[in-house]
Amino acid sequence: MDTIFAQATAPGKAGVAIVRLSGPKAWVAIETMCSGLPEPRVVGLRELHGRDGLLDTALVVVFEDGASFTGENVAELHLHGSSAVVSAVLSEISSLEGLRHAEPGEFTRRALENGCLDLAQVEGLADLIDAETEAQRRQAIRVLSGELGEKAEGWRQGLIRAAALIEASIDFADEDVPIDVTPEVDDILRRVLNELESEIDGVGFAERVRTGFEVAIVGAPNVGKSTLLNALAGREAAITSEIAGTTRDVIEVRMDLGGLPVTILDTAGLRDTDDPVESIGVEKAQARAKSADLRIFLVDVGGSPAFEPIARDIVVASKADLIGESSEGVSGRTGQGLPKLIEMIQSRISELAGQSGIATRERHRFAMSSASGSLRDALVNLKSGEVYELVAEDIRSAIRSLDSLIGRVDVEMLLDDIFSSFCIGK
Amino acid sequence: MKHSHFDVVVIGGGHAGCEAATASARMGARTALITIKKAGIGVMSCNPAIGGLGKGHLVREIDAMDGVMGRVADKAGIQFRLLNRRKGPAVQGPRTQADRAVYRSTMLSEIERTPNLSVIEGEVVDLLDEKGVINGIVLHDGVEIRSSAVVLTTGTFLRGVIHIGEQSHAGGRMGDAPSTKLAERIDDYALPLGRLKTGTPPRLDGQTINWEILETQPGDVDPVFFSFLSNSVSSAQISCGITHTNEKTHEIIQRNLAKSAMYGGFIDGVGPRYCPSIEDKVVRFAEKTSHQVFLEPEGLNDHTVYPNGISTSLPLDVQELYIRSIRGLEQAEIVQPGYAIEYDYVDPQALNLSLAVRSLQGLYLAGQINGTTGYEEAAAQGLVAGLNAAATALDKPRVEFGRSESYIGVMIDDLTTRGVTEPYRMFTSRAEFRLSLRADNADQRLTPKGLEIGCVGRRRQTYFTEKAERLASGQKAMSDKYFSPQDVAKAGKRLSQDGSRRTAYQLLGLPNIDFDDLVKLDSSLGCIDIETRAQLGRDALYATYIERQNQDVAVTKRDEAHLIPAALIFSELDGLSNELKVKLERRRPANIAQASRVEGMTPAALMLIMARIRRDAKLPATA
Ligand SMILES: Cc1cc2nc3c(=O)[nH]c(=O)nc-3n(C[C@H](O)[C@H](O)[C@H](O)COP(=O)(O)OP(=O)(O)OC[C@H]3O[C@@H](n4cnc5c(N)ncnc54)[C@H](O)[C@@H]3O)c2cc1C
């Protein structure tokens, strides 16, 4: 039985975050991170160390098998509830041999199998059901930033194709299928592997916490975007001038908005223009604004946003000072409406942070690295020729690792691909 | 009216029926095989070949349980080929061309000399039941035969309709009447029915084929057999011919498409994608100007030739036209037209893992009636149904096969949990544990199980036990000794100098080491015989992968062991979504592993079901 771990408290910013481990290596894992475990069922304060130094000072408590929630050896870490800390601790644990991220509901399942849940607790499971549907998994895929979502779809198609090619040459060896599928499979696997690896390096949650959530200010030239940015940043970050189109490129300002790291993007004024240089800037600005986590559409009173906002975006009237103190809008010049706007930004971003939960992210990262391991094996086996069945096995296990990202891939999907691309049936 | 009593009655003498009847009889149940014509026993309705990829695995597994198909196919084999010979052992599948007449006569004599087994000629027209328990059958002449269990294996005979071009008539297959009365009776039991179709090519007179100008495909020089007990060919060996369709052929077909039963809209049933008619090929792969056709002789004393790859439901005159447009077939005479057949099948989701109908006690279904296609798929189901019908009659425990143990288990699980959308055929890619479910180790996987339940005869037992001992001692000898990369270098083989010591068994799994190298390292290994060496080599090849897979196997086995009682009513489980309730009620998963594969299933929902099973198990049984 392997040892599993996961964040036990709700993801997002909170006072305390609990990470739970269960299984034969639960204690050993914690022991490698701190100096000596406390007595079972006694809370101890410990410094947790990872490969890169101190992670957090946490409360540690362990339970022995037979006296724990799951019936196995259990360890719990009560961490400071910062996303960055939790993420760092989870990734430290996942690097240990024999530990893996828990599947949804796996702790409860172990408890159930070991006879450690009473009926009332079990009936309470019913509440979990809604939260754990296939739809949720699809949502998990959706919360991956748009770009990653698209990539995941590309991986899915690539892996199905690669698996189908290999399976076709195994199962229909006697039929009219290409004998050597190696070059095409090799191409696909390399592409997927490269993308996976750059993804693993780049878009971890930790990275996100470091670089901040992106909030784009969008609006027509001279609507007051730069003034608003300056007001938010409290300094002259963007050059504000009266000439329309001054802010040609995207200006980024990092700030701490009530504890959340945020990067505000001031984009070029969005308007139709004949100036080729400006129009490139405008295009770039739009694309960038669309890929941000949140957009603030700044409009003149009675005006409308430059492109369609999504549900969580904020649309606000600018230059409120010109209209009067009671107006709903915001003014970068006088600060009118600013506190309310900041509050709105904060709440939408915390929501986002919660939604995309570290656990999910960490799980994705973990999934991606085990998939990339399998794909490396696949490439080696592919090169040695002859052992297509092992290549198939490697691809299968990569697909299984990526299940939570790309959704389930079934043998029927491979067969669909095979029968639609080759004329099978002698 | 005559009454007789058997433990088990098997209806149908096709591939499913033969295997079911002999399996039941081997279990010690008094068994009757009832079929329309004794001469129809073991008839191959379609191509004269047994085995292939996935299919060959099934035949090996049947043989490992001491079934008949493998032995009979070896006797009738006139061209043996091991498919994927150049790929790894996990994906190699034995196949043979079979002499149709020899296959039939060998099967009949196997059946006639099986103790506990009687053959009765006649058409079954009705099933007998009492309080929802099937307990016998009625023949066309009114004779009733009672039994504790009935296995139904009527193939394509339920409301079969044969189509040739625009013409159609009722028929179970060419030359046989359909089973209409029985089909109507099955309607009364409200089993969920569907409609499928399949087709077969025209048969040619081999004397009218110009073999001289055609390419040929010979068999293997060292034939690989199906049965673990066979060791030599019984018949003379032949080659098959190869030819191709051409643009002219395709043009003829294209021009006459509207006359095809399948394209003229005369057929509603769904056909298999992996066995398309020539019409399908020409339409769906319009860019291909040629398709391969294998010319397979149907027997040594039979001139009939089966042209593999051009099944059709075009009218006879068009068939003649397109056949003669093919190289080598310019003068060919058709001895039996190609046709398509539509038939009823029972949605296999109505069955449990022993292939018993869930809603009716005592009735088992096997073969094409369950939506599959192919002799081997039929026979493997026959085995399962026969063993279980006998177990029921004799009050023994059920015999079930798991996905991690056999292709048989994969198939039964696929059928009963997912149903079929097209005729189901086995492929190796359906088996997630393909590396361990190999044709070469079918006996290691299944014969112990057969011995335990009592369906394996003395001869196989002796042979198997002796082989298993040789394997075990070979394995032990090879796992006891460790060698460093330096040791291996002395035998002239380079390994990465990682300092790790490996056993002889581990070394054998490496691509550049063969058994002779090991003997150089340790001469005592030289006394291991050739056959055992080869088998150990196949086992060692995948050892690291299989070790990794064992964790998944353990999970599957654990989930399979959580049985869901038939009495559990999913719709009464608080907390399940309505959608899941409906799906679960329809599919009635037999265990947690099956439930986990129901679409839309969530971990929490699974736990809810497990919790309920646990609670029910704890509650005292109320009388
Ligand atoms: C036209 C055609 C084309 C096919 N093409 C292919 C193909 O390309 N590839 C492939 O893999 N498979 C093909 N098959 C399928 C293959 O032949 C079957 O899957 C296999 O034979 C099924 O075995 P079975 O035992 O279920 O049924 P069958 O072999 O059909 O046997 C049914 C038996 O039941 C008996 N029977 C029926 N009704 C009664 C009754 N009322 N009372 C007593 N006995 C009864 C019949 O006499 C017969 O012996 C084809 C079949 C047909 C007919």
Side-chain angles (χ1 to χ4, degrees):
Chain A
M1 189 60 80
D2 34 4
T3 301
I4 54 173
F5 64 90
Q7 183 175 1
T9 44
K13 208 169 139 70
V16 177
I18 299 179
V19 167
R20 185 187 276 155
L21 297 82
S22 174
K25 292 198 174 154
W27 290 17
V28 191
I30 301 308
E31 230 172 344
T32 61
M33 297 168 72
C34 67
S35 51
L37 294 178
E39 288 292 299
R41 280 166 292 134
V42 176
V43 177
L45 187 66
R46 295 287 185 278
E47 281 191 349
L48 299 180
H49 292 272
R51 289 154 296 181
D52 303 328
L54 183 66
L55 295 165
D56 194 16
T57 307
L59 294 178
V60 174
V61 54
V62 299
F63 305 87
E64 65 268 55
D65 55 359
S68 72
F69 165 62
T70 56
E72 307 173 325
N73 272 350
V74 163
E76 276 181 13
L77 305 174
H78 298 235
L79 305 166
H80 289 99
S82 128
S83 325
V85 166
V86 176
S87 155
V89 170
L90 288 178
S91 93
E92 184 64 33
I93 298 176
S94 73
S95 71
L96 301 174
E97 177 77 27
L99 274 83
R100 68 171 169 81
H101 213 288
E103 302 291 328
E106 202 172 356
F107 285 99
T108 322
R109 172 157 185 168
R110 289 192 175 190
L112 191 60
E113 294 195 325
N114 296 325
C116 293
L117 280 188
D118 66 33
L119 259 179
Q121 284 170 306
V122 164
E123 297 264 78
L125 284 173
D127 304 334
L128 266 174
I129 304 256
D130 285 340
E132 280 192 351
T133 53
E134 178 68 20
Q136 189 202 28
R137 191 162 68 188
R138 261 184 243 124
Q139 187 194 332
I141 294 169
R142 236 179 295 130
V143 298
L144 299 170
S145 67
E147 204 190 337
L148 180 54
E150 258 169 49
K151 277 192 191 153
E153 184 49 39
W155 300 337
R156 180 187 163 81
Q157 284 171 7
L159 293 173
I160 289 180
R161 177 70 184 167
L165 285 168
I166 293 282
E167 294 297 353
S169 61
I170 289 175
D171 263 333
F172 304 100
D174 226 20
E175 312 248 6
D176 237 354
V177 296
I179 298 166
D180 188 9
V181 298
T182 306
E184 190 178 348
V185 174
D186 190 79
D187 271 2
I188 298 174
L189 297 185
R190 266 176 215 290
R191 198 202 78 217
V192 175
L193 182 64
N194 281 342
E195 292 187 8
L196 268 175
E197 298 200 324
S198 70
E199 213 55 51
I200 296 165
D201 298 340
V203 227
F205 183 79
E207 176 79 4
R208 184 59 143 239
V209 169
R210 223 180 62 228
T211 57
F213 291 89
E214 287 186 344
V215 178
I217 307 178
V218 186
N222 278 343
V223 75
K225 299 189 302 290
S226 303
T227 320
L228 177 62
L229 173 70
N230 291 341
L232 285 169
R235 61 190 162 103
E236 286 270 322
I239 325 137
T240 24
S241 75
E242 295 298 318
I243 315 154
T246 315
T247 322
R248 267 201 184 131
D249 269 309
V250 182
I251 290 181
E252 301 182 17
V253 178
R254 285 216 57 193
M255 59 185 71
D256 181 292
L257 218 55
L260 284 168
V262 170
T263 302
I264 307 267
L265 309 177
D266 180 12
T267 57
L270 294 183
R271 61 160 191 186
D272 297 329
T273 171
D274 294 331
D275 177 349
V277 181
E278 189 180 341
S279 85
I280 292 172
V282 168
E283 243 169 63
K284 221 161 133 186
Q286 250 207 47
R288 187 68 194 279
K290 281 184 179 162
S291 72
D293 299 294
L294 178 71
R295 281 146 295 277
I296 303 168
F297 288 91
L298 208 54
V299 295
D300 285 318
V301 178
S304 57
F307 56 90
E308 192 64 28
I310 61 169
R312 64 167 173 265
D313 291 348
I314 298 169
V315 180
V316 65
S318 68
K319 300 177 183 164
D321 56 319
L322 300 182
I323 304 160
E325 297 227 339
S326 59
S327 104
E328 278 286 292
V330 64
S331 164
R333 217 161 56 86
T334 65
Q336 184 182 327
L338 210 53
K340 200 176 153 209
L341 180 64
I342 292 177
E343 204 179 291
M344 266 162 85
I345 298 174
Q346 268 180 356
S347 87
R348 309 252 161 129
I349 288 195
S350 326
E351 222 174 90
L352 255 184
Q355 237 181 56
S356 58
I358 306 168
T360 325
R361 296 245 171 206
E362 189 52 38
R363 197 175 2 242
H364 289 160
R365 198 191 59 77
F366 188 64
M368 290 191 288
S369 34
S370 67
S372 79
S374 303
L375 292 184
R376 284 179 174 285
D377 293 346
L379 283 165
V380 171
N381 281 324
L382 191 65
K383 211 169 156 198
S384 82
E386 288 178 14
V387 282
Y388 272 11
E389 71 275 23
L390 297 184
V391 178
E393 210 49 52
D394 294 327
I395 300 180
R396 198 190 284 253
S397 83
I399 289 178
R400 242 200 338 246
S401 303
L402 289 179
D403 224 25
S404 59
L405 265 117
I406 64 174
R408 193 145 150 186
V409 171
D410 196 62
V411 62
E412 286 300 326
M413 295 170 189
L414 310 187
L415 293 174
D416 279 346
D417 194 279
I418 293 173
F419 296 137
S420 63
S421 31
F422 305 118
C423 185
I424 303 288
K426 38 172 218 173
Chain B
M1 224 159 284
K2 204 171 74 192
H3 293 259
S4 41
H5 193 284
F6 288 90
D7 292 323
V8 172
V9 159
V10 176
I11 308 173
H15 306 275
C18 290
E19 212 59 67
T22 47
S24 164
R26 284 201 306 283
M27 289 284 278
R30 277 169 305 123
T31 308
L33 174 61
I34 307 180
T35 192
I36 299 176
K37 280 181 292 191
K38 214 169 177 169
I41 283 181
V43 164
M44 297 194 241
S45 320
C46 196
N47 60 327
I50 300 284
L53 295 161
K55 289 166 172 278
H57 290 73
L58 285 172
V59 182
R60 279 284 175 89
E61 292 182 355
I62 294 169
D63 186 69
M65 299 293 284
D66 219 3
V68 287
M69 179 172 252
R71 284 202 298 267
V72 174
D74 285 340
K75 264 272 163 55
I78 51 177
Q79 188 207 52
F80 291 88
R81 282 198 315 128
L82 183 65
L83 303 187
N84 276 339
R85 199 175 258 278
R86 299 196 18 233
K87 298 198 178 83
V91 293
Q92 293 176 351
R95 179 188 193 271
T96 189
Q97 286 301 130
D99 183 309
R100 236 178 236 292
V102 177
Y103 193 92
R104 263 196 294 129
S105 61
T106 312
M107 185 58 88
L108 184 61
S109 73
E110 273 281 348
I111 285 185
E112 283 177 332
R113 60 177 199 156
T114 302
N116 301 324
L117 180 55
S118 325
V119 179
I120 298 171
E121 248 182 358
E123 183 189 345
V124 173
V125 294
D126 203 353
L127 300 175
L128 295 168
D129 66 295
E130 201 172 325
K131 297 196 197 114
V133 180
I134 299 290
N135 61 1
I137 59 100
V138 183
L139 289 177
H140 59 291
D141 54 7
V143 169
E144 294 184 358
I145 297 174
R146 298 276 168 180
S147 66
S148 310
V150 170
V151 184
L152 191 58
T153 71
T154 47
T156 48
F157 283 62
L158 293 186
R159 262 188 284 262
V161 176
I162 288 175
H163 297 264
I164 303 178
E166 292 151 24
Q167 309 205 319
S168 65
H169 67 272
R173 70 187 155 212
M174 196 54 93
D176 286 319
S179 282
T180 308
K181 292 216 187 74
L182 195 56
E184 281 164 8
R185 192 61 181 110
I186 285 173
D187 286 346
D188 296 344
Y189 289 118
L191 293 177
L193 295 178
R195 204 111 172 108
L196 291 172
K197 70 145 205 244
T198 187
T200 197
R203 304 301 197 273
L204 310 177
D205 180 347
Q207 294 162 295
T208 62
I209 294 175
N210 185 1
W211 297 98
E212 249 89 279
I213 60 168
L214 295 176
E215 202 187 315
T216 58
Q217 182 183 49
D220 291 344
V221 270
D222 52 339
V224 171
F225 302 103
F226 290 104
S227 177
F228 288 98
L229 302 182
S230 300
N231 44 33
S232 64
V233 296
S234 308
S235 311
Q237 301 294 295
I238 53 108
S239 290
C240 293
I242 299 178
T243 181
H244 296 88
T245 61
N246 52 46
E247 283 173 15
K248 182 149 175 255
T249 323
H250 295 192
E251 192 266 319
I252 297 169
I253 290 163
Q254 198 79 46
R255 184 152 36 87
N256 288 287
L257 266 187
K259 294 187 199 157
S260 154
M262 273 175 276
Y263 275 84
F266 304 96
I267 293 184
D268 312 318
V270 184
R273 284 174 302 176
Y274 38 81
C275 220
S277 61
I278 187 67
E279 294 95 297
D280 270 332
K281 291 184 181 180
V282 168
V283 172
R284 286 184 34 218
F285 296 91
E287 71 286 359
K288 290 198 76 163
T289 51
S290 167
H291 296 278
Q292 219 170 31
V293 182
F294 287 85
L295 300 171
E296 305 174 344
E298 296 209 341
L300 295 176
N301 302 313
D302 182 350
H303 295 300
T304 313
V305 165
Y306 179 96
N308 201 342
I310 46 173
S311 85
T312 184
S313 62
L314 285 162
L316 183 54
D317 56 332
V318 182
Q319 293 187 23
E320 244 155 35
L321 219 55
Y322 85 69
I323 285 287
R324 291 184 182 166
S325 73
I326 298 174
R327 185 173 146 86
L329 307 184
E330 293 85 355
Q331 312 289 324
E333 293 289 342
I334 291 180
V335 292
Q336 181 200 297
Y339 62 93
I341 182 165
E342 262 191 303
Y343 54 93
D344 280 358
Y345 76 98
V346 176
D347 178 354
Q349 292 178 80
L351 309 175
N352 66 20
L353 289 174
S354 42
L355 294 182
V357 174
R358 281 199 314 264
S359 58
L360 271 177
Q361 235 179 308
L363 182 61
Y364 294 77
L365 305 185
Q368 193 136 358
I369 192 174
N370 290 339
T372 63
T373 172
Y375 312 136
E376 306 80 358
E377 287 83 350
Q381 292 171 66
L383 174 81
V384 174
L387 293 176
N388 279 290
T392 301
L394 304 175
D395 230 2
K396 290 185 178 176
R398 281 192 193 181
V399 185
E400 288 175 358
F401 293 78
R403 291 188 78 89
S404 54
E405 163 192 61
S406 59
Y407 275 77
I408 299 180
V410 170
M411 173 172 65
I412 306 276
D413 184 66
D414 280 349
L415 291 174
T416 57
T417 43
R418 305 164 58 135
V420 298
T421 49
E422 67 183 326
Y424 179 97
R425 175 181 144 185
M426 185 46 78
F427 303 112
T428 71
S429 49
R430 294 195 194 274
E432 61 273 44
F433 303 122
R434 174 164 65 189
L435 298 183
S436 33
L437 307 187
R438 305 191 308 271
D440 65 71
N441 67 4
D443 56 343
Q444 287 160 259
R445 292 183 280 120
L446 291 178
T447 306
K449 184 187 186 100
L451 285 168
E452 189 188 316
I453 62 170
C455 71
V456 170
R458 186 70 53 77
R459 178 161 168 246
R460 186 177 302 266
Q461 175 168 11
T462 316
Y463 178 81
F464 173 76
T465 316
E466 194 259 329
K467 177 177 169 188
E469 275 163 14
R470 270 185 292 140
L471 272 174
S473 73
Q475 164 103 31
K476 180 158 186 312
M478 295 184 65
S479 306
D480 278 351
K481 305 213 170 65
Y482 287 84
F483 301 94
S484 67
Q486 287 85 344
D487 297 333
V488 178
K490 276 180 232 148
K493 291 286 157 123
R494 281 175 52 83
L495 289 187
S496 67
Q497 299 287 333
D498 56 1
S500 65
R501 284 148 48 83
R502 296 181 176 83
T503 63
Y505 187 66
Q506 285 166 330
L507 288 173
L508 190 57
L510 300 175
N512 57 339
I513 304 253
D514 58 30
F515 210 96
D516 292 337
D517 300 323
L518 298 179
V519 179
K520 279 186 218 151
L521 287 174
D522 177 356
S523 58
S524 75
L525 295 174
C527 60
I528 297 177
D529 66 281
I530 301 292
E531 191 203 347
T532 307
R533 287 182 189 190
Q535 190 55 26
L536 288 171
R538 288 187 282 255
D539 289 339
L541 180 63
Y542 297 124
T544 41
Y545 274 81
I546 290 176
E547 220 164 274
R548 243 184 281 161
Q549 260 185 9
N550 280 344
Q551 208 157 38
D552 297 333
V553 171
V555 169
T556 307
K557 283 209 172 128
R558 179 196 66 188
D559 286 356
E560 281 172 350
H562 288 296
L563 301 181
I564 301 176
L568 182 79
I569 302 171
F570 292 105
S571 52
E572 287 176 359
L573 278 180
D574 280 342
L576 287 186
S577 71
N578 279 332
E579 198 189 330
L580 262 185
K581 284 179 183 172
V582 172
K583 278 190 186 145
L584 286 165
E585 276 303 335
R586 198 179 59 226
R587 305 214 164 165
R588 296 276 350 158
N591 54 47
I592 291 292
Q594 285 199 329
S596 72
R597 287 190 291 272
V598 169
E599 196 184 315
M601 178 54 71
T602 71
L606 267 189
M607 281 187 286
L608 202 68
I609 298 169
M610 277 173 52
R612 174 55 66 98
I613 302 171
R614 193 172 287 268
R615 189 190 74 182
D616 290 351
K618 277 192 195 146
L619 286 179
T622 42

